[in-house]
């Protein structure tokens, strides 16, 4: 997450900043964080289509087949995060009809006086007649106290996704939110915050 912006070279929106991700817990190294985060993301892609009573067993089988030497504690911690998200009543619509997982998106992002080519994947996309909702999962343990305190790297990532989706759905608002899986809570990102994401380098 520490690459720079280059015109005409596609970048993943999750890499649109040079700031360190200091909100990650120091007890996990970068490789371990990446593996853990990727597995939780995959569970949240794989489990929503299953019957609720079958998810726990399916999640354990899924993790056992990934080829990593996970301890029983690691399996239960990752599975627990995914299941808590899916079992939170306020999130039901996010995983219901009209929602899509791992949606590829590409486009041009106006930033710093030029157009930046971006290419990435949206964790969860909800398409409604009245709005479009973009959701991204964050698997670190320290969600901010408010939307305004969200690390800039995440705000820029979501602003980039929003820009790409606005060109596809110009007839309706595009909303953005983060799901912090460890809690779990949802943090909607205000439009004013996203509008200012690329106001300065």
């Amino acid at each position: 997450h520490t690459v720079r912006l280059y015109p005409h070279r596609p970048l993943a929106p999750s890499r649109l900043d040079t700031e360190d991700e200091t909100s990650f817990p120091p007890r996990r190294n970068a490789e371990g964080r990446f593996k853990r985060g990727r597995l939780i993301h995959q569970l949240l892609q794989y489990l929503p289509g299953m019957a609720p009573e079958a998810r726990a067993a399916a999640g354990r089988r899924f993790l056992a087949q990934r080829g990593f030497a996970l301890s029983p504690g690691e399996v239960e911690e990752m599975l627990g995060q995914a299941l808590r998200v899916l079992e939170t009543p306020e999130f039901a619509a996010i995983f219901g009809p009209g929602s899509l997982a791992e949606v590829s998106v590409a486009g041009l992002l106006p930033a710093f006086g030029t157009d930046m080519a971006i290419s990435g994947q949206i964790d969860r996309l909800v398409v409604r007649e009245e709005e479009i909702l973009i959701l991204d999962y964050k698997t670190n343990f320290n969600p901010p106290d408010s939307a305004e305190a969200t690390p800039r790297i995440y705000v820029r990532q979501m602003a980039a996704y929003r820009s790409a989706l606005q060109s596809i759905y110009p007839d309706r608002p595009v909303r953005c939110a983060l799901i912090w899986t460890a809690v779990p809570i949802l943090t909607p990102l205000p439009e004013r915050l996203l509008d200012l994401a690329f106001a300065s380098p």
Side-chain angles (χ1 to χ4, degrees), residues 64-197:
Q65 295 167 0
R66 295 305 93 188
F68 295 111
L70 300 173
S71 70
E74 288 175 317
V75 168
E76 294 306 311
E77 188 258 343
M78 286 186 272
L79 179 60
Q81 281 205 38
L83 291 178
R84 284 193 297 274
V85 170
L86 296 177
E87 292 167 1
T88 299
E90 294 88 340
F91 299 165
I94 293 170
F95 299 98
S99 68
L100 301 167
E102 298 296 319
V103 178
S104 298
V105 63
L108 291 177
L109 170 68
F112 315 140
T114 187
D115 285 334
M116 301 293 170
I118 60 167
S119 177
Q121 278 196 314
I122 294 171
D123 289 341
R124 200 84 189 176
L125 180 68
V126 183
V127 179
R128 298 170 176 158
E129 290 186 5
E130 70 278 10
E131 67 175 0
I132 305 299
L133 180 59
I134 300 171
L135 297 121
D136 201 72
Y137 309 132
K138 298 305 178 189
T139 55
N140 53 355
F141 286 150
N142 299 310
D145 295 331
S146 66
E148 287 70 21
T150 300
R152 185 178 65 173
I153 188 173
Y154 297 161
V155 176
R156 285 187 166 177
Q157 175 189 2
M158 300 304 281
Y161 287 147
R162 185 185 67 154
S163 178
L165 267 293
Q166 283 173 330
S167 65
I168 299 172
Y169 298 99
D171 60 329
R172 64 196 92 171
V174 179
R175 317 287 188 199
C176 298
L178 303 175
I179 293 181
W180 305 87
T181 61
V183 182
I185 62 171
L186 183 142
T187 301
L189 298 178
E191 289 190 20
R192 65 182 183 280
L193 197 63
L194 297 167
D195 291 342
L196 295 173

Side-chain angles (χ1 to χ4, degrees), residues 5-42:
L5 286 168
Y6 295 96
H8 314 303
R9 177 182 176 182
L11 295 176
S14 60
R15 297 175 177 268
L16 288 171
D17 213 309
T18 57
E19 91 177 1
D20 293 331
E21 294 185 62
T22 55
S23 57
F24 282 109
R27 61 189 176 91
R28 287 189 170 90
N29 59 30
E31 182 179 354
R33 288 200 308 266
F34 177 78
K35 177 183 75 174
R36 175 179 165 278
R38 183 175 61 184
L39 289 173
I40 294 172
H41 276 66
Q42 289 174 345

